[in-house]
Amino acid sequence: MAKKYGLANQYSNYSNIQTYNQDGPLDTFIQKQAEFDLAYAAAQNSSVAALDESEQTDRSMRDALHAAGWDPKGDALAEAVEWYAVDFEYAQTAEVASERHTLANYRSTFHDYSPENNFVTDPRGFAHLIRSQAAEFLAPNDPRLLLSTTVTSITWSGSSVQIQTSDGTCISAEHAINTFSAGVLQSDLVHFNPPLPDWKRQAISKVQMGVYTKIFMQFSSDRIFWPQDTEFFLYADNNSTTNPSSSAPLFHSPPAPFPQDILIATITTGPPSNSNETEAHLLSTLQNMFPGTPIPQPKAFMYPLWNELEWARGSFSNWPVGMTRAEHDALGEPTGNLWFAGEAGSKEYWGFLQGAFEEGKRVGGEVARCVIEGGCKERTEKQGQKVMG
């Protein structure tokens, strides 16, 4: 899609990384990462065996890594290395991530698509992909597309769906596809009438919604203090008493053509703090990393609070330890003529963009089959058996 629509992006070189602690740069990252990689490989082999044993109890990534000999507790560098591999990828700690499904998700994503990660540098942003696709079937200013419109309630049945919005608009249709995030579904922002079935609400309540925040700091071009030949900067604080997930251990400086005066910090999980506190914490961390260089105030600072946005309530989903395949499958099952799509329901790619894309195609195809080919009767019968069972 990026190639088709001309979305500007560039390769992210995750091996171009320098590690720091409160005294400056460290030179032991490669050795510690090699230790982690051995444990991670052992966990991967274990997860493959677990997928073949459907009755085997799932366990957390923490338990899997510990069984493979990895214990980062009390070792700031080891904790940072683990964060870089687990939290940075899934926005969740190893304690709550499922070994079986997390590692299967990783294999599916980087085997089916590409082992490489690219960073979008296009000033139009990811929205360019959506707008370009929409332009293929929507006219400019198409009245069917309602932007900046808040859904407050959904009334559903086996024959129709009615949607009420905050401005009083009522939309009626034979079918509707719901793409609310798991975080929104877990909130009370949208009222369902009748309430969603117990099996659906149980599945929604079990899935986790991670918070993955990139904070953008722009400095004066004559006050750039970080090495321009390094892309990633990982912080391991020996004096920290906080979870590294919430203390911004990673900074990213994408190479040109990305603006070279912008530094990106990444925070995962952890409670949000206000913008001023976060900015002060980041600058203090950078001062520890570069003790001989006065750290200037950024001239621009952007801190998106994903879990506070009503249309998001988080960044992306996570399959937690203990959630069964049947419960996860229920996320994508329809209730009456109300259908559910979104990355959280993807069996292979939950948490990723392609998961949302593939689920949209799947559910859109099923609705089309119902409408065009009259294939809804079989689905309704199966759904009735599911609810009764």
Side-chain angles (χ1 to χ4, degrees), residues 40-244:
Y40 194 80
Q44 282 187 315
N45 292 335
S46 173
S47 73
V48 171
L51 287 172
D52 294 334
E53 299 289 339
S54 59
E55 299 303 319
Q56 182 173 329
T57 302
D58 191 16
R59 59 180 177 176
S60 69
M61 281 293 297
R62 167 65 59 236
D63 290 339
L65 291 169
H66 190 270
W70 175 260
D71 184 7
K73 188 175 182 180
D75 184 337
L77 180 57
E79 290 178 349
V81 167
E82 179 183 292
W83 181 94
Y84 193 48
V86 180
D87 303 49
F88 183 54
E89 189 69 48
Y90 292 99
Q92 294 287 353
T93 64
E95 281 76 12
V96 298
S98 161
E99 173 205 15
R100 179 187 301 185
H101 301 294
T102 295
L103 293 175
N105 169 274
Y106 185 89
R107 287 191 297 270
S108 296
T109 294
F110 292 99
H111 178 269
D112 294 351
Y113 284 82
S114 170
E116 298 180 351
N117 280 284
N118 281 25
F119 184 82
V120 175
T121 58
D122 201 308
R124 297 168 295 183
F126 254 120
H128 173 62
L129 295 182
I130 300 172
R131 293 191 181 103
S132 297
Q133 273 211 314
E136 296 179 358
F137 58 88
L138 290 176
N141 302 314
D142 199 308
R144 296 173 296 174
L145 178 63
L146 303 181
L147 299 175
S148 301
T149 303
T150 303
V151 174
T152 56
S153 67
I154 298 176
T155 301
W156 60 275
S157 69
S159 59
S160 65
V161 180
Q162 287 188 334
I163 299 168
Q164 194 78 29
T165 68
S166 59
D167 64 4
T169 301
C170 182
I171 303 169
S172 298
E174 184 177 348
H175 297 269
I177 301 176
N178 167 15
T179 60
F180 294 134
S181 72
V184 170
L185 290 173
Q186 289 169 347
S187 73
D188 59 358
L189 293 170
V190 180
H191 175 71
F192 291 91
N193 182 36
L196 296 175
D198 288 344
W199 57 267
K200 172 67 78 172
R201 286 187 283 119
Q202 178 178 332
I204 292 171
S205 68
K206 277 205 169 184
V207 72
Q208 293 173 333
M209 196 68 174
V211 179
Y212 187 99
T213 307
K214 290 189 179 295
I215 302 170
F216 293 78
M217 298 176 288
Q218 185 175 31
F219 297 87
S220 297
S221 58
D222 60 347
R223 298 293 303 277
I224 296 174
F225 54 87
W226 59 91
Q228 294 292 281
D229 59 351
T230 302
E231 187 165 355
F232 293 95
F233 307 85
L234 184 66
Y235 184 54
D237 186 358
N238 291 323
N239 297 326
S240 176
T241 59
T242 61
N243 187 324

